[in-house]
Amino acid sequence: MGRDERIVLEPLSQDDPTTTSDNSGSTEKPAGLGGVMIGIGEQVYSILLLSFFFLEVYTTGFIPYIGKALNFVLLSWMYAYYCFEYKWNLSEVALDRRLDFFESNWAFFAGFGSPCVLAIFFSPLVSYGVMAVLFPLFVLTATSSGAEQLVSSQRRKWKGAGLGRLPIFYAADTLSLRILSLIPLESPEQMQDNKEL
């Protein structure tokens, strides 16, 4: 892209305790092996979260009457998140910042992802072809855009008025945390030593 600028993801409320003093989107990770392990952990959690969100999108299509409309909105968010995730990963924006920014600006992302979803309504062969062209263009658009700065400036202009935060990933986040809580943190030898005590 030729630009070396930090992406600033501002939260919905300025008194959010997760914000840092310089309000930068990326957090300082420990150097060396610790930073690598945190990065791997974030990627694993992101994959798990998005897998559960995909299952949520898939199952909403079976709800009578409103299922297709819900499916359309959720798919729009999913495509928009995938497009912007490339940019945020390259800029090393922390996962919690990404999710907070996404859920705080849900209307923008629903609109951004909706053209990709509209392509699905053609015949399967045509929709695959249209998506093969559209999705890379949307990834490039998201990567080269200054959407974060634009959204933040508009929010400051409105003085915080507008749409509130919508917990889009709540169900997927809850399921992901449940699954991760089943993984033991201690090795089998440490667990055996603790049982003997």
Side-chain angles (χ1 to χ4, degrees):
M1 295 232 336
R3 289 188 276 174
D4 188 28
E5 60 186 39
R6 295 192 78 80
I7 294 178
V8 178
L9 298 182
E10 292 184 7
L12 182 60
S13 62
Q14 295 302 326
D15 58 334
D16 187 356
T18 62
T19 59
T20 57
S21 58
D22 65 351
N23 218 9
S24 69
S26 61
T27 58
E28 290 297 320
K29 293 181 184 175
L33 185 62
V36 171
M37 295 304 291
I38 289 174
I40 291 171
E42 255 190 8
Q43 288 301 315
V44 168
Y45 182 74
S46 178
I47 290 169
L48 194 61
L49 179 84
L50 292 174
S51 296
F52 283 124
F53 187 71
F54 179 74
L55 285 174
E56 185 180 336
V57 170
Y58 178 73
T59 55
T60 56
F62 296 110
I63 299 173
Y65 305 114
I66 62 168
K68 294 298 179 191
L70 276 175
N71 195 288
F72 179 84
V73 172
L74 291 174
L75 274 173
S76 297
W77 283 326
M78 189 175 75
Y79 282 122
Y81 185 83
Y82 283 154
C83 290
F84 276 89
E85 187 178 37
Y86 287 99
K87 179 180 186 175
W88 293 333
N89 275 334
L90 285 172
S91 301
E92 297 178 355
V93 177
L95 181 63
D96 60 334
R97 291 285 197 168
R98 289 185 243 168
L99 296 178
D100 181 55
F101 184 76
F102 194 87
E103 290 178 341
S104 298
N105 301 293
W106 54 270
F108 169 79
F109 289 107
F112 185 87
S114 61
C116 289
V117 180
L118 288 174
I120 295 174
F121 292 114
F122 299 111
S123 70
L125 185 60
V126 172
S127 68
Y128 294 147
V130 171
M131 280 302 296
V133 172
L134 274 185
F135 187 72
L137 290 176
F138 273 65
V139 170
L140 290 173
T141 302
T143 305
S144 64
S145 73
E148 295 86 359
Q149 291 81 12
L150 180 64
V151 168
S152 298
S153 69
Q154 291 298 321
R155 191 171 298 280
R156 280 192 297 276
K157 189 187 326 182
W158 299 332
K159 295 180 178 63
L163 302 173
R165 185 170 190 250
L166 184 66
I168 298 166
F169 296 105
Y170 178 77
D173 187 41
T174 303
L175 284 170
S176 299
L177 290 175
R178 291 279 174 135
I179 295 296
L180 290 175
S181 70
L182 299 175
I183 299 173
L185 297 176
E186 298 176 338
S187 67
E189 294 84 23
Q190 289 175 333
M191 291 173 65
Q192 186 66 23
D193 291 343
N194 288 343
K195 287 181 182 178
E196 290 174 0
L197 295 176

